Amino acid sequence: MQFETILSPLLLPLYDLQGKTVVVIDVLRATSTICTGLFTGIDHFYAVSSPSEALELQKKGYLAAAERNAVKPDGFELGNSPFEYLNSELKGKKIAFTTTNGTHCIKLSLGADEILIGSFLNLDAIAKYCIDKKKDIIAFCAGWKNKFNLEDTLFAGALASKLIDSFSINCDSSLAAIDLYNAAKSDLKNYILKSSHAKRFEKLGITKDIEFCMQTSIYEIVPRVINGKITL
Ligand code: MLT
């Protein structure tokens, strides 16, 4: 079994997703938020490309959630902070969700055999699932507007480190991700504070979201995309 890492959505055409499991990674914050919402008891998220599509689904009983440039646009019930999804009143709700990078990458992965949603919050559960499943894995880092980012690469490195005894890891992007993770793991949160997205959060006064998203393996869940719906 092979483990590969895609460091930016622009590199996706170089990889064949067929027959493989893709782990979509947008640690800050879309995949962390999805994990939090599903752990709270949301029925499913439905990833859409644009805010207008989310607002269309609002008319069909969905709550509309959106983020652009890390901010919730006007007219939406929910944004992309995991704290908003800790609310037990969301139990059983359906969420139409669009974010700058994370939901975009979920939609780009639809040719894969299986799509999983990965974040530090459910790292161990994802690793165990991948080991049990015995299929080739692609860790797909959402990055920021097609650019490489630190936080998603760190997660790819953390996952690869957990799978190293069960998978062949020969691709240089995975090896680089492992090295980055090893360099940062003793103080992951402070390392991530260097990142460009962390600087964006500082300006918006939402650094507490980073602390939340860097908690490791607090949820034993493996969100999957099933018939377009992100669910447990
Ligand atoms: C995204 O999908 O682009 C991110 O989750 C951005 C954010 O932090 O809201």
Side-chain angles (χ1 to χ4, degrees), residues 2-6 15 168-178:
Q2 302 281 338
F3 181 100
E4 295 174 289
T5 300
I6 302 179
Y15 294 81
S168 304
I169 304 185
N170 300 314
C171 84
D172 285 3
S173 47
S174 300
L175 297 173
I178 293 171

Side-chain angles (χ1 to χ4, degrees), residues 187-203:
D187 194 1
L188 215 46
K189 199 197 88 196
N190 271 318
Y191 191 91
I192 285 187
L193 287 176
K194 297 201 256 199
S195 71
S196 51
H197 208 36
K199 299 284 179 310
R200 224 168 267 127
F201 280 23
E202 268 167 35
K203 278 192 198 131

Side-chain angles (χ1 to χ4, degrees), residues 36-209:
T36 303
L38 292 174
F39 187 79
T40 292
I42 281 170
D43 183 71
H44 68 268
F45 286 80
Y46 194 80
V48 295
S49 304
S50 64
S52 58
E53 277 177 78
L55 292 173
E56 272 307 304
L57 285 172
Q58 201 179 36
K59 295 176 198 151
K60 297 181 181 156
Y62 277 80
L63 295 177
E67 165 277 329
R68 285 295 180 270
N69 296 315
V71 171
K72 178 174 83 163
D74 290 341
F76 287 80
E77 279 118 344
L78 293 156
N80 189 25
S81 169
F83 287 105
E84 296 174 75
Y85 294 81
L86 292 170
N87 177 359
S88 60
E89 284 175 19
L90 294 175
K91 268 187 193 156
K93 302 283 188 205
K94 307 180 290 183
I95 313 283
F97 195 35
T98 180
T99 69
T100 312
N101 309 284
T103 55
H104 173 61
C105 290
I106 291 167
K107 289 181 76 67
L108 288 177
S109 304
L110 289 175
D113 230 42
E114 190 171 32
I115 305 168
L116 312 180
I117 304 299
S119 70
F120 280 102
L121 304 176
N122 67 336
L123 170 61
D124 281 351
I126 289 280
K128 183 177 178 323
Y129 185 93
C130 292
I131 290 167
D132 292 348
K133 194 78 186 190
K134 296 186 172 46
K135 259 200 181 162
D136 290 346
I137 303 291
I138 295 189
F140 183 12
C141 301
W144 179 256
K145 297 186 179 176
N146 289 323
K147 291 183 179 167
F148 170 94
N149 79 13
L150 285 177
E151 61 275 15
D152 297 339
T153 309
L154 282 171
F155 177 83
L159 182 61
S161 303
K162 288 196 178 280
L163 301 185
I164 206 154
D165 293 332
S166 313
F167 286 77
S168 304
I169 304 185
N170 300 314
C171 84
D172 285 3
S173 47
S174 300
L175 297 173
I178 293 171
D179 283 354
L180 187 71
Y181 176 65
N182 283 333
K185 69 182 176 192
S186 62
D187 194 1
L188 215 46
K189 199 197 88 196
N190 271 318
Y191 191 91
I192 285 187
L193 287 176
K194 297 201 256 199
S195 71
S196 51
H197 208 36
K199 299 284 179 310
R200 224 168 267 127
F201 280 23
E202 268 167 35
K203 278 192 198 131
L204 294 166
I206 54 172
T207 307
K208 67 181 188 345
D209 285 26

